[in-house]
Amino acid sequence: MKDSAKHEVTVWDLATRLFHWTLVIAVSINLFLISPRGDLNRLIHFSVGYLVLGLLAFRLAWGFFGSPRSRFGDFLRGWAGVKQHLDSLRQRQTVHTVGHDPIGGWMIVTLIGALALMVATGLFASDRRASGPFAYLLSKTASNTIGDIHQLISDVLIGLIALHVLGIATHWYLSGENLVASMLHGRKRLPSTEAGRERPLAPGYRAVVLGALALGLAVSIAWLTGWS
């Protein structure tokens, strides 16, 4: 007999949700609102860049030590799983997953990688408007080239974000599941048997410790480089 009873279960812990929405705001500021032009804009752009660095450091650690559905091992699948999911999308069907689906999982890793490259190139980049804190270690030609790469990555990142939003909208259309709401309140409605199999969330103190270490890393780099 099919289990039709539904129970609300928290699958996304507070730390994951805070990371996600803080990153959305920070990336939006640097991609669409503030460029490193002028003293105040440069300070804001660099400060947000250091914040993104700290957020990425936290997410990498949380991907191994966080709650079950936030760990990389939970949502990264091999080609067989990705192909099965693609086939279901071509047939206008969805494969039920509690956490991230196979395509969404790889999109998350791709976005993290692109953001990491963007931060890394920003530290060494230079152009006529601004220079990263470590640009002086390179020749002018090399730092300018890295600046061009930094700009290219930002363009690629905009495309990835658009693709990510399209994927969320497609999932919502096919399954009726609002992933944006789930990432706000952290809960999903699951069949009772499936809800009963969910593992406990990671303790809050673990997120506090890892968050403090990640923030300390970002602030230390900012302080050592004069915040500019």
Side-chain angles (χ1 to χ4, degrees), residues 86-156:
L86 287 171
D87 290 341
S88 69
L89 289 178
R90 281 194 288 266
Q91 298 168 16
R92 299 172 66 85
Q93 299 174 349
T94 55
V95 178
H96 171 68
T97 55
V98 178
H100 297 296
D101 62 50
I103 296 177
W106 282 107
M107 174 57 75
I108 288 170
V109 172
T110 302
L111 285 168
I112 290 175
L115 285 168
L117 284 173
M118 192 165 181
V119 171
T121 53
L123 293 172
F124 293 90
S126 68
D127 60 21
R128 55 189 174 83
R129 294 178 297 178
S131 295
F134 299 130
Y136 73 94
L137 297 173
L138 306 175
S139 67
K140 186 66 174 176
T141 300
S143 62
N144 283 346
T145 299
I146 292 178
D148 292 338
I149 296 172
H150 184 71
Q151 181 59 51
L152 175 62
I153 294 172
S154 70
D155 294 338
V156 170

Side-chain angles (χ1 to χ4, degrees), residues 58-67 70-73 76 206 210:
F58 168 79
R59 187 63 184 91
L60 287 173
W62 203 240
F64 294 99
F65 303 107
S67 297
S70 298
R71 298 192 180 196
F72 298 126
L76 290 183
R206 190 182 302 171
L210 293 176

Side-chain angles (χ1 to χ4, degrees), residues 183-196:
M183 191 52 70
L184 284 170
H185 52 62
R187 300 185 299 275
K188 285 191 175 185
R189 290 183 61 81
L190 304 175
S192 58
T193 53
E194 195 169 16

Side-chain angles (χ1 to χ4, degrees), residues 6-101:
K6 295 279 188 177
H7 296 270
E8 276 202 344
V9 178
T10 301
V11 296
W12 305 122
D13 56 64
L14 180 61
T16 299
R17 287 178 277 139
L18 285 176
F19 159 81
H20 179 271
W21 294 114
T22 304
L23 187 66
V24 168
I25 294 170
V27 171
S28 297
I29 289 173
N30 268 14
L31 273 184
F32 305 114
L33 299 178
I34 304 295
S35 64
R37 179 180 295 174
D39 292 340
L40 179 59
N41 282 8
R42 185 181 302 114
L43 176 62
I44 295 173
H45 189 86
F46 277 47
S47 298
V48 171
Y50 290 125
L51 172 61
V52 172
L53 171 62
L55 288 169
L56 293 178
F58 168 79
R59 187 63 184 91
L60 287 173
W62 203 240
F64 294 99
F65 303 107
S67 297
R69 297 300 178 184
S70 298
R71 298 192 180 196
F72 298 126
D74 181 73
F75 56 78
L76 290 183
R77 296 289 180 267
W79 170 243
V82 174
K83 183 177 183 301
Q84 179 184 11
H85 194 75
L86 287 171
D87 290 341
S88 69
L89 289 178
R90 281 194 288 266
Q91 298 168 16
R92 299 172 66 85
Q93 299 174 349
T94 55
V95 178
H96 171 68
T97 55
V98 178
H100 297 296
D101 62 50

